[in-house]
Amino acid sequence: GKVTSYVFPAGEEHKTLDTVRNLYEHLILEKFDRKDMLVAFGGGVVGDLTGFTAATYLRGIDFIQVPTTLLSQVDSSIGGKTGVDFDAYKNMVGAFHMPRLVYMNLNLLRSLPDRQFASGMGEIIKHGLIQDPAYYSWLTEHYQEVMDKQYEALLTMVEGSCRIKRHVVEEDPTEQGIRAWLNFGHTIGHAIEKSSGFQMLHGECVALGCVAAAYISWKKELIEMEEYYEIRDMFVPFNLPISADDLDVAKIVALTKSDKKMRGGKIRFVLLDRIGHARIDDTVTDEEMTAAIEELNFKDED
């Protein structure tokens, strides 16, 4: 058999149907058939796009994930969610299509820029917050080894994060129930990501979204004030933001409405009732969201 490669420009702005169209064309010209398979070698954009192409080319061919970033290793490469963006709508077109294999080489993480590494940490901390207090505690105690990219620490961390995600996905593959927990931090996070024109990295926006969701959890008296501050400050040693300059609060609240996770006009918000335990809540108001985003807004007088 022969191997061909297809390379496309990096970045979320290329995660579109246009790129998929070009990839279909490549596969047709190379005479790919049902027995052939695709290998996604790259970050989350490559994985999402390759997976979607594999799901839809000839009604579905096999593919393998070889995620090269921390974010794609612990998050997008697991669970079979594939998709592309459509205009401003993230992952609006997609399919569930499980990879045959996910291969992670942790040595790839040593060549990752610090900001990209931190972006992956956003999802990792989220995994602990929603599902596993012991894992969360381990992270707080080993942040130095993790940030130094010590191999044993990376192994424990990536393995632990994948275990949490796999558990959630296996219990609920098509997001009818607990898989929605993985959206913790994402309702406001995605909205911030869009409003920044994708200038902020996904994990940075998720960190801000997690802080906002923890704030709402505190204001709804689900967690104590001390827990809120502990959760917020946890992102700092991992180089993740807990505030941002000049957030357009009204615009961000409006953008949460375009989120595809809407159910019958209500946003299914993920909150915490303690560290390591998520819950779905559809009673979050615009006022509560506004207050939480205001809390993230960094102004000079603060």
Side-chain angles (χ1 to χ4, degrees):
K2 83 182 177 90
V3 177
T4 76
S5 70
Y6 180 82
V7 180
F8 62 93
E12 183 85 28
E13 65 273 24
H14 295 287
K15 201 175 106 168
T16 61
L17 288 168
D18 287 335
T19 309
V20 173
R21 191 183 175 287
N22 296 337
L23 189 45
Y24 288 148
E25 196 167 49
H26 175 84
L27 296 177
I28 291 164
L29 291 173
E30 295 288 345
K31 301 186 171 51
F32 268 63
D33 66 28
R34 279 237 172 103
K35 294 184 291 297
D36 293 315
M37 68 160 55
L38 304 183
V39 178
F41 182 75
V45 171
V46 173
D48 275 11
L49 198 131
T50 308
F52 178 69
T53 304
T56 48
Y57 181 74
L58 298 176
R59 297 201 189 87
I61 62 174
D62 285 342
F63 83 114
I64 289 174
Q65 289 275 21
V66 187
T68 57
T69 63
L70 183 58
L71 180 63
S72 60
Q73 286 182 357
V74 298
D75 187 48
S76 51
S77 68
I78 303 164
K81 264 191 179 182
T82 74
V84 293
D85 304 338
F86 186 84
D87 297 341
Y89 299 97
K90 208 170 146 72
N91 297 326
M92 188 47 71
V93 181
F96 288 100
H97 192 56
M98 292 291 179
R100 292 303 300 270
L101 174 78
V102 183
Y103 169 68
M104 298 173 195
N105 188 323
L106 299 182
N107 289 308
L108 288 165
L109 299 178
R110 293 176 194 280
S111 63
L112 209 56
D114 289 344
R115 204 176 151 204
Q116 291 282 352
F117 186 84
S119 180
M121 289 307 306
E123 294 286 356
I124 285 172
I125 295 166
K126 176 204 79 177
H127 284 151
L129 286 171
I130 62 168
Q131 175 79 45
D132 194 332
Y135 179 74
Y136 178 85
S137 301
W138 181 90
L139 287 170
T140 57
E141 288 152 22
H142 296 84
Y143 73 90
Q144 202 60 63
E145 296 96 302
V146 167
M147 295 312 278
D148 291 343
K149 300 192 173 90
Q150 291 181 18
Y151 191 82
E152 286 307 312
L154 292 179
L155 187 63
T156 303
M157 177 176 81
V158 171
E159 220 168 21
S161 214
C162 291
R163 189 188 64 243
I164 294 166
K165 175 137 194 205
R166 194 187 72 206
H167 163 74
V168 172
V169 168
E170 279 175 354
E171 204 162 313
D172 178 23
T174 58
E175 205 173 306
Q176 306 305 304
I178 73 162
R179 185 167 182 165
W181 290 355
L182 294 167
N183 298 324
F184 181 68
H186 282 61
T187 303
I188 288 175
H190 272 164
I192 292 173
E193 199 174 350
K194 280 179 205 156
S195 76
S196 81
F198 296 103
Q199 292 311 295
M200 289 178 73
L201 296 183
H202 178 70
E204 295 168 341
C205 297
V206 167
L208 292 172
C210 287
V211 173
Y215 180 84
I216 294 170
S217 303
W218 164 40
K219 290 301 179 185
K220 283 186 168 293
E221 298 182 354
L222 298 170
I223 62 175
E224 301 293 323
M225 184 178 85
E226 290 73 25
E227 287 179 291
Y228 162 64
Y229 284 111
E230 183 193 326
I231 290 165
R232 188 191 71 168
D233 295 344
M234 166 73 172
F235 291 96
V236 176
F238 293 104
N239 286 339
L240 284 162
I242 56 174
S243 67
D245 293 330
D246 305 322
L247 292 173
D248 183 337
V249 180
K251 182 183 174 190
I252 292 165
V253 172
L255 279 166
T256 62
K257 305 288 190 272
S258 72
D259 215 31
K260 66 183 180 307
K261 295 167 193 75
M262 296 271 290
R263 291 280 188 284
K266 284 193 161 68
I267 293 178
R268 296 167 71 207
F269 220 95
V270 188
L271 300 176
L272 297 176
D273 44 29
R274 56 183 182 279
I275 287 175
H277 204 269
R279 63 186 285 165
I280 307 281
D281 189 308
D282 59 12
T283 67
V284 175
T285 63
D286 285 4
E287 291 71 34
E288 287 169 315
M289 273 199 274
T290 300
I293 300 160
E294 287 287 4
E295 178 77 2
L296 301 173
N297 224 352
F298 181 82
K299 300 184 196 68
D300 287 335
E301 65 267 21
D302 287 357

